[in-house]
């Protein structure tokens, strides 16, 4: 039996999650809706749980192609077994906060979060398993959200099933505060909200795009400072779609500096040779997860962390702010 390390009461040995089916999913297949509502799990794994009856509709076992009516509750009650044969590797991890339930870390650039084709090892997940071997028993080693390879900043990782389920619920309920800072092209209005659905790019399958039938995606933004033809901006996620901030800023014609996928249509900005050289050589999207806030899974108390801009973004801001003065 797994024991709560603080209270010595039994912890969950099961993942127990529930999600209500919105009206937008009326007449949609059960398996496809489950993949949308429980997107921290792979579709193949969800299919297995549907077949085994561990994933149900209003408490009833239904086939994968069952058509939903809207308003039902999809429930997951799954006993967890160790996940996969991922390799544990010693990778430096900057821990901002840790207790018996959570790890809050500051992810560096050039680090993939989860193994995938082309990056089967040397990921954050491999490093987590080396430092915390017990995470192997959790879905995705306790990872409940991701940052792109070259986006830096704060992430939270669950250390047990209680914390994992609690954090997934908070993310789905949009209760986790995730704020970013970025440098974007152009002069962004003082503040606003981008509400534009995101889905797979219709022609380039490695990219995402704003499309009519995409998933709901909402981003709030606020300008911090203006530097000539650039804006230092604070971005807040309400939803968490793949590449959301990068896609949304490009959609409103203010792509993120250094973005290799979505910044190619950046507007022409008058700039000195030094600024031009700095921006041209900036090796990644200038995007940093600066603030993370959530309710603690054991105490319920609100907690918040910040991580200052990394050195490369700090220098980018300095150069742009100085107008290209080398001094």
């Amino acid at each position: 039996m797994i024991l709560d390390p603080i209270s010595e009461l039994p912890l969950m040995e099961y993942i127990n999650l529930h999600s209500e089916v919105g009206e937008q999913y009326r007449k949609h297949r059960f398996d496809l809706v489950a993949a949308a509502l429980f997107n921290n799990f792979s579709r193949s794994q969800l299919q297995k749980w549907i077949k085994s009856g561990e994933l149900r509709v209003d408490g009833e076992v239904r086939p994968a192609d069952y058509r939903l009516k809207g308003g039902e509750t999809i429930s997951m009650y799954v006993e967890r077994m160790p996940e996969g044969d991922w390799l544990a590797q010693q990778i430096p991890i900057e821990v901002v906060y840790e207790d018996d339930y959570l790890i809050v870390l500051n992810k560096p650039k050039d680090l993939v979060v989860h193994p995938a084709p082309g990056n089967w090892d040397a990921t954050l997940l491999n490093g987590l398993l080396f430092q915390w071997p017990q995470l192997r028993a959790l879905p995705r080693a306790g990872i409940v959200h991701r940052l792109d390879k070259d986006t830096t900043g704060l992430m939270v990782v669950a250390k047990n099933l209680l914390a994992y389920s609690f954090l997934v619920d908070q993310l789905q309920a949009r209760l986790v505060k995730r704020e970013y800072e970025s440098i974007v092209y152009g002069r962004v209005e003082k503040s606003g909200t981008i509400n534009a659905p995101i889905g797979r790019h219709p022609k380039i399958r490695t990219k995402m795009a704003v499309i009519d039938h995409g998933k709901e995606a909402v981003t709030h933004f606020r300008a911090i400072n203006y530097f000539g033809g650039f804006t230092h901006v604070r971005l807040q996620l309400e939803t968490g779609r793949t590449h959301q901030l990068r896609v949304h800023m490009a959609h409103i014609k203010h792509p993120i500096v250094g973005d290799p996928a979505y910044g190619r249509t950046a507007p022409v900005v008058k700039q000195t040779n030094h600024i031009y050289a700095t921006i041209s050589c900036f090796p990644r999207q200038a995007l940093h997860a600066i603030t993370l806030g959530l309710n603690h899974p054991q105490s319920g108390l609100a907690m918040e962390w910040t991580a200052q801009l990394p050195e490369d973004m700090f220098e980018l801001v300095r150069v742009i702010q100085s107008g290209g003065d080398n001094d």
Side-chain angles (χ1 to χ4, degrees):
M1 179 177 293
I2 303 173
L3 294 179
D4 181 326
I6 294 178
S7 64
E8 295 302 312
L9 295 174
L11 269 180
M12 296 170 52
E13 295 178 329
Y14 296 83
I15 297 175
N16 188 7
L17 299 175
H18 306 273
S19 187
E20 185 175 343
V21 178
E23 290 298 323
Q24 71 269 32
Y25 294 122
R26 178 179 173 83
K27 296 185 179 180
H28 287 216
R29 286 172 55 111
F30 173 26
D31 57 346
L32 298 181
V33 175
L37 297 179
F38 300 108
N39 56 21
N40 286 285
F41 304 95
S42 70
R43 290 194 177 188
S44 61
Q45 184 62 75
L46 293 170
Q47 289 274 6
K48 291 177 184 177
W49 290 336
I50 290 172
K51 289 179 181 178
S52 67
E54 294 169 292
L55 197 57
R56 302 187 176 199
V57 179
D58 285 339
E60 300 290 332
V61 177
R62 299 292 187 186
D65 61 357
Y66 175 76
R67 299 287 173 167
L68 296 163
K69 299 176 177 126
E72 302 100 325
T73 296
I74 296 180
S75 56
M76 178 191 299
Y77 192 65
V78 179
E79 184 175 9
R80 289 306 304 168
M81 299 298 290
E83 291 269 346
D85 295 320
W86 293 314
L87 180 66
Q89 296 174 297
Q90 189 170 9
I91 294 170
I93 296 175
E94 181 185 343
V95 176
V96 175
Y97 174 85
E98 181 184 3
D99 62 21
D100 292 310
Y101 293 86
L102 304 174
I103 304 160
V104 177
L105 59 94
N106 187 12
K107 190 187 88 66
K109 63 181 179 181
D110 199 31
L111 179 64
V112 174
V113 169
H114 190 279
N119 294 100
W120 287 118
D121 63 357
T123 71
L124 174 62
L125 184 145
N126 301 111
L128 290 170
L129 292 179
F130 182 90
Q131 194 159 336
W132 297 276
Q134 71 273 22
L135 297 181
R136 190 176 292 277
L138 299 180
R140 303 183 189 275
I143 296 170
V144 295
H145 67 120
R146 302 187 188 189
L147 296 177
D148 294 336
K149 175 184 176 182
D150 284 325
T151 298
T152 56
L154 294 171
M155 290 181 59
V156 62
V157 176
K159 291 182 72 176
N160 55 47
L161 286 174
L162 173 66
Y164 185 89
S165 295
F166 189 88
L167 291 172
V168 169
D169 283 346
Q170 281 197 76
L171 284 162
Q172 290 180 343
R174 304 181 183 181
L175 298 176
V176 177
K177 180 180 180 181
R178 290 174 290 172
E179 292 191 343
Y180 296 69
E181 287 194 10
S182 183
I183 308 300
V184 302
Y185 285 92
R187 188 177 180 87
V188 177
E189 60 183 287
K190 193 62 179 176
S191 63
T193 296
I194 307 166
N195 188 342
I198 290 176
R200 188 67 58 183
H201 194 289
K203 295 181 180 180
I204 308 173
R205 304 304 293 171
T206 57
K207 294 176 63 174
M208 308 300 288
V210 170
I211 58 175
D212 290 340
H213 301 293
K215 295 180 180 179
E216 181 190 17
V218 180
T219 299
H220 306 285
F221 63 87
R222 175 174 57 85
I224 298 173
N225 212 340
Y226 299 104
F227 309 128
F230 303 91
T231 305
H232 184 183
V233 67
R234 176 72 66 110
L235 305 169
Q236 182 171 352
L237 286 174
E238 183 172 321
T239 56
R241 307 305 176 200
T242 301
H243 298 176
Q244 178 174 319
L245 298 179
R246 299 165 64 190
V247 171
H248 269 175
M249 296 313 294
H251 177 67
I252 65 169
K253 312 302 182 186
H254 295 290
I256 294 173
V257 167
D259 192 329
Y262 304 101
R264 295 183 179 181
T265 58
V268 176
V269 174
K270 184 178 180 180
Q271 51 195 286
T272 67
N273 289 337
H274 188 206
I275 292 178
Y276 178 80
T278 300
I279 289 175
S280 298
C281 295
F282 200 75
R284 67 180 184 93
Q285 61 268 10
L287 184 62
H288 175 70
I290 197 163
T291 301
L292 176 70
L294 52 84
N295 294 326
H296 192 275
Q298 190 269 334
S299 68
L301 294 176
M303 304 184 74
E304 186 169 301
W305 301 269
T306 59
Q308 66 181 13
L309 288 179
E311 184 176 347
D312 61 347
M313 278 188 64
F314 182 84
E315 178 62 14
L316 178 65
V317 171
R318 189 197 69 78
V319 171
I320 295 174
Q321 187 175 20
S322 71
D325 188 349
N326 285 301
D327 294 334

